[in-house]
């Protein structure tokens, strides 16, 4: 069967590697053209490996100016944007962080980048009668992240914002999805290393660590079906249900789990 993504014009942020690069590769495999955006200039190497339907853009995808320049670049290349994958993310400080600056950076990358992109794209999508916004959040956005308040809070915000987009602009033909994986074999998981050992253990011990290509295929299958909540690790749904069914019991259990991880 022909993919509904054939001929679509996509932007993927955080695309130099990891889930972003895998999403770009899978989009191209399904017939889309993609601008790969990243702060790292290695995004050019990634795009070069993906062929003539991939184009690199280097810059800050969290700032208003950067997002504006990225959208202008995609417009110049494609004449418009049909899908925007807000995939760039950072792990941020461990525990409570030490300063406002710690929080400002992760809020900009993990949350405000989504808001700023939507502010630029939604009006044009309303006029066109279609558009698709896909946010990469985390299972931490439904559950929590042991060892990192900032990561947990910003991923909760990412889920909440995508949910609001999906509800508010549905009748305008605009769709939104949010991706909430647990462990994925990316640099982000490595970044939780020694300084965030409890955070890393919480992720790697909770379920299978997937490869980015596996996640990308799951995400685009769901996007083709206009599915809002995308769970590469299906067991997250049961964890989420348990949390909602008895919040206090869940908090006590998570506290015990955190203690065991710290002992290890």
């Amino acid at each position: 069967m022909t993919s509904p993504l054939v001929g679509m014009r996509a932007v993927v942020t955080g695309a130099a590697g990891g889930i972003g690069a895998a999403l770009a590769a899978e989009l191209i495999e399904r017939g889309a053209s993609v601008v790969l955006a990243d702060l790292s200039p290695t995004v050019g190497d990634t795009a070069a490996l993906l062929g003539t339907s991939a184009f690199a853009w280097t810059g800050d995808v969290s700032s208003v100016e950067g997002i504006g320049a990225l959208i202008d670049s995609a417009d110049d290349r494609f004449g418009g944007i049909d899908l925007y994958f807000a995939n760039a993310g950072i792990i941020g400080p461990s525990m409570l962080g030490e300063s406002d600056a710690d929080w400002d950076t992760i809020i900009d990358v993990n949350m405000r980048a989504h808001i700023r992109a939507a502010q630029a794209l939604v009006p044009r999508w309303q006029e066109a009668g279609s558009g698709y916004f896909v946010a990469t959040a985390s299972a931490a956005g439904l559950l929590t992240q042991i060892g990192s308040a900032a990561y947990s809070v910003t991923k909760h915000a990412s889920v909440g914002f995508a949910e609001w987009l999906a509800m508010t602009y549905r009748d305008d033909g605009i769709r939104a999805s949010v991706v909430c994986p647990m462990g994925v074999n990316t640099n982000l998981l490595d970044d939780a290393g020694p300084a965030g050992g409890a955070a890393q253990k919480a992720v790697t011990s909770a379920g299978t660590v997937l490869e980015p290509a596996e996640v990308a295929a799951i995400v685009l299958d769901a996007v083709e079906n206009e599915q809002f909540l995308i769970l590469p690790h299906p067991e997250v749904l049961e964890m989420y249900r348990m949390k909602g069914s008895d919040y206090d019991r869940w908090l006590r259990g998570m506290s015990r789990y955190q203690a065991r991880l710290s002992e290890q």
Side-chain angles (χ1 to χ4, degrees):
M1 293 178 63
T2 301
S3 169
L5 300 177
V6 170
M8 291 290 161
R9 304 160 297 179
V11 170
V12 181
T13 70
I19 293 174
L23 282 169
E26 187 69 21
L27 281 160
I28 290 167
E29 180 68 22
R30 299 186 189 211
S33 297
V34 185
V35 171
L36 291 79
D38 205 289
L39 192 60
S40 170
T42 61
V43 71
D45 299 328
T46 304
L49 293 172
L50 296 181
T52 58
S53 295
F55 308 92
W57 181 90
T58 304
D60 182 1
V61 297
S62 70
S63 70
V64 173
E65 296 78 10
I67 289 168
L70 170 58
I71 290 173
D72 287 345
S73 177
D75 282 344
D76 289 344
R77 179 73 64 178
F78 300 148
I81 298 170
D82 303 304
L83 303 104
Y84 190 94
F85 290 78
N87 172 74
I90 59 173
I91 192 69
S94 62
M95 299 307 287
L96 288 171
E98 296 181 356
S99 67
D100 281 354
D102 283 344
W103 281 79
D104 286 342
T105 300
I106 193 171
I107 287 171
D108 273 346
V109 176
N110 289 6
M111 183 182 73
R112 289 197 183 107
H114 299 199
I115 297 167
R116 290 163 175 163
Q119 286 172 333
L121 290 167
V122 164
R124 60 159 67 188
W125 284 347
Q126 286 178 298
E127 185 175 347
S130 66
Y132 210 127
F133 191 97
V134 183
T136 300
S138 167
L142 298 173
L143 305 170
T144 195
Q145 180 60 63
I146 288 173
S148 178
Y151 189 79
S152 180
V153 168
T154 54
K155 292 304 185 179
H156 273 75
S158 175
V159 172
F161 184 65
E163 180 182 90
W164 186 88
L165 287 178
M167 172 194 71
T168 302
Y169 298 109
R170 186 172 186 82
D171 289 346
D172 294 320
I174 297 171
R175 298 292 180 262
S177 296
V178 66
V179 188
C180 294
M182 289 196 293
V184 183
N185 186 21
T186 68
N187 290 337
L188 192 66
L189 183 60
D190 295 337
D191 287 345
Q200 188 182 49
K201 288 177 185 175
V203 172
T204 56
S205 66
T208 303
V209 176
L210 299 177
E211 293 301 319
E214 296 177 273
V215 175
I218 291 167
V219 169
L220 294 186
D221 285 347
V223 167
E224 287 182 347
N225 289 305
E226 297 185 353
Q227 177 184 329
F228 172 72
L229 182 59
I230 305 174
L231 300 175
H233 297 81
E235 60 268 35
V236 171
L237 183 58
E238 184 57 32
M239 297 176 187
Y240 188 47
R241 286 171 173 159
M242 290 172 63
K243 175 182 177 180
S245 67
D246 192 334
Y247 224 126
D248 289 313
R249 180 184 178 186
W250 180 82
L251 285 168
R252 290 192 297 270
M254 289 297 290
S255 183
R256 290 193 297 270
Y257 181 41
Q258 177 179 252
R260 288 199 303 272
L261 292 172
S262 297
E263 289 171 1
Q264 294 169 12

